[in-house]
Amino acid sequence: MGNTADRCDPERRAWIAEAVRVVDADANRSADTHLHVFPLPPSWGVDLYLKDESVHPTGSLKHRLARSLFLYGLANGWIREDTTIIEASSGSTAVSEAYFARLLGLPFVAVMPASTSPEKIALIEFYGGRCHLVDDPSAIYAESHRLARECGGHFMDQFTYAERATDWRGNNNIADSIFEQMRLERYPEPAWVVVGAGTGGTSATIGRYARYRRFATRVAVVDPEGSAFFDAYTRGDRDVTARGSRIEGIGRPRVEPSFLPSVIDRMVRVPDAASIAAMRWAADVTGLAVGGSTGTNLWGAALLISEMRERGERGSVVTLICDGAERYAHTYNSDTWLTTQNIDVDPYLTALRAFQRTGVLTDPTAAP
């Protein structure tokens, strides 16, 4: 009969089965996230929607990613009953992973830049995680690998696995949710979906899903100052590096493995001042207190709407509320912080208010 090797451990398989049930039960307890209508004149013929990912249990879009990464790790046998979970994160992914680690009774360590907002650090610690801060943001990968080796833990590595851990064909992923919620709207098939890229997982999921379902919807990725993604996309060069972004959750100093340019239709570079101005503008117009990456999304969405109106096009644009403003009380919502960073949001606020009246978005830095 030949040699055989049986690695089946009934107790370990039973623990994994229970862990998957616990993670799935968390999703089952949560309703889908809201799709808000952004107030624009109906006569424009262009409608804007905000998919509110801030209402997840851990307050951000990254809740979906963390759930997928845990299920991926469990199904692959990488996460066991005694595994320490390690993640390299600027904040929101770590908050969500700390939540799921606590659900499963597992230790969690977030390797983060020392500049991460104190609000996010407090949230990770609230969920039982430990924050390991590094001065050099580019060192978080090597430090994560080192910690995982030393403790025999599992480095989740969101920047590698984000695009493959999520089932992009459907299964209530974010793309499936958007298109289902748009079904009864005036223009149910969006002309554009606008997202930022941190890992690249969200843009990969939406871009793949649109192609798979044969939608004409295009994906625009907005990229903040200091990120490598925009230059990599325009040059066709994945070896581009940059200093890194001040807008937490999006933008990277290097091109991450999960970033897939082939499923993106357009990229827009957004100044930090525009991101923060749009974040504040959203609160004024909608009453929704949103974070900085949502501001980046909104500036990109306004630009696309302005262009659509110039061409006489009708249709809908969808973008995301990634997280709430409460995480940035000491940074983007602080005028003192803006002064120390030499960021002037007033010209961009003026441009956005003019856009709301006219449907035309102008670059306040452009020569007259």
Side-chain angles (χ1 to χ4, degrees), residues 11 95 129 219 221 251 260:
E11 290 186 2
V95 172
V219 176
V221 171
L260 301 183

Side-chain angles (χ1 to χ4, degrees), residues 90 113 115 136-138 141 197 223-229 231 240-256 269-270 272 332 341:
S90 63
S115 60
D136 180 4
S138 67
Y141 314 99
D223 203 37
E225 286 179 34
S227 172
F229 290 140
D231 287 337
V240 170
T241 58
R243 62 173 169 80
S245 169
R246 287 184 292 194
I247 304 300
E248 290 186 23
I250 57 173
R252 301 296 304 158
R254 69 175 195 180
V255 181
E256 304 297 350
R269 174 168 279 161
V270 179
D272 292 346
Y332 313 139
Q341 298 292 314

Side-chain angles (χ1 to χ4, degrees), residues 2 11 21 86 167 252 357 361:
E11 290 186 2
R21 184 199 67 77
I86 312 289
D167 182 359
R252 301 296 304 158
R357 295 191 309 271
L361 184 67

Side-chain angles (χ1 to χ4, degrees), residues 8 31 100 150 271 317:
C8 179
F100 283 105
E150 286 186 357
V317 176

